[in-house]
Amino acid sequence: MTVVRLASDAMWLHSPTAYTDELRSQIEALGPIRFLVAPNIAHWMFLKDRQKACRDAKIFAAPGLRLRPSVAQSGVAIDEDLGDAAPPDWREDFDQCLVRGGLGISEIAFLHRATRTLILADLIQNFEREKTSGAGRAALTVSGSMAPDGKAPIHLRFAMRLNRDAAQQAAYRLIEWAPERMICPRALVQQQRPRGARTVVALANALFERPASTISQARRP
């Protein structure tokens, strides 16, 4: 989970983890929890408990999530679907971009303007080797999701190739954001470089089969 305090002092929770009273207290010591964000169709499993406990929080979700049978059966009430434009609730704090693939798979990427931080979910998985073991470590290595050369998981790369033109245009937009650092729930990735564009060039490379550690100059075709 990535937690951001907005300019309004409201707390914004991206890809929420399992709910505990202790964690809620720690977050609310910084500000009231107002927004729960499910950035893709995979990162929603803990929304119901948080929604039940944080009744003043609104749930924003990637397009199509509310239509999934498992989500409907869970009883999660999604307030708004996300797209390319940030909603008024956090328009002053974030830019956002819909990276849309095929097969109904997409993800919303966010740029926190004040810190120039790109916030992702599965567009890059960059697992730290010391935090994995056994068969899991072997599978992540084979799939290309191990740091420092992490990339989008195989199923997501396949889905992006089905809608390659749109996905590439979204990747170019992220490059134009020129973030200075990047956060992924699977691992914290902070690459601080002048103007930061190289961080997202790594993302674009990862979407289209080149490792995330690759650094190159990005140019539109």
Side-chain angles (χ1 to χ4, degrees):
M1 177 168 65
T2 301
V3 178
V4 178
R5 182 166 61 186
L6 306 183
S8 64
D9 288 334
M11 303 305 293
W12 182 91
L13 278 56
H14 174 274
S15 188
T17 53
Y19 175 84
T20 68
D21 289 333
E22 180 182 7
L23 183 55
R24 176 185 177 181
S25 296
Q26 291 173 344
I27 294 172
E28 290 190 332
L30 302 174
I33 297 173
R34 291 287 184 261
F35 306 110
L36 307 174
V37 179
N40 62 27
I41 60 174
H43 288 242
W44 67 274
M45 299 297 293
F46 301 111
L47 286 177
K48 184 175 181 180
D49 288 344
R50 287 192 175 274
Q51 187 173 51
K52 188 183 303 182
C54 306
R55 296 188 179 275
D56 293 330
K58 294 172 65 177
I59 291 182
F60 291 77
L65 181 63
R66 68 168 72 239
L67 301 178
R68 295 176 66 83
S70 55
V71 176
Q73 293 167 11
S74 75
V76 171
I78 294 172
D79 295 289
E80 292 190 32
D81 294 332
L82 294 168
D84 258 336
D89 305 82
W90 59 70
R91 190 170 294 158
E92 300 303 313
D93 297 90
F94 290 101
D95 289 319
Q96 69 186 51
C97 177
L98 172 60
V99 184
R100 190 188 294 276
L103 304 176
I105 293 176
S106 62
E107 180 171 320
I108 308 292
F110 297 91
L111 178 74
H112 184 240
R113 293 176 179 171
T115 60
R116 308 303 303 168
T117 301
L118 179 66
I119 301 173
L120 305 176
D122 288 328
L123 287 175
I124 284 186
Q125 291 186 356
N126 210 43
F127 288 85
E128 297 164 273
R129 184 171 297 276
E130 61 274 16
K131 295 182 180 179
T132 64
S133 61
R137 177 183 292 177
L140 291 169
T141 300
V142 170
S143 69
S145 295
M146 191 69 72
D149 291 331
K151 61 177 70 171
I154 292 172
H155 75 278
L156 195 147
R157 299 199 309 268
F158 175 76
M160 291 299 166
R161 286 196 295 272
L162 294 178
N163 196 23
R164 190 179 183 91
D165 289 346
Q168 283 188 322
Q169 288 303 312
Y172 289 132
R173 184 177 172 196
L174 302 190
I175 290 169
E176 289 171 351
W177 282 351
E180 296 178 3
R181 59 190 60 81
M182 179 166 56
I183 295 177
C184 317
R186 301 294 184 184
L188 179 63
V189 180
Q190 292 198 348
Q191 298 181 9
Q192 300 189 34
R193 304 176 187 276
R195 296 189 60 80
R198 292 181 179 180
T199 300
V200 198
V201 173
L203 168 61
N205 289 339
L207 281 176
F208 304 109
E209 300 287 59
R210 297 176 64 185
S213 61
T214 300
I215 302 300
S216 61
Q217 294 297 319
R219 297 183 183 277
R220 285 180 177 271

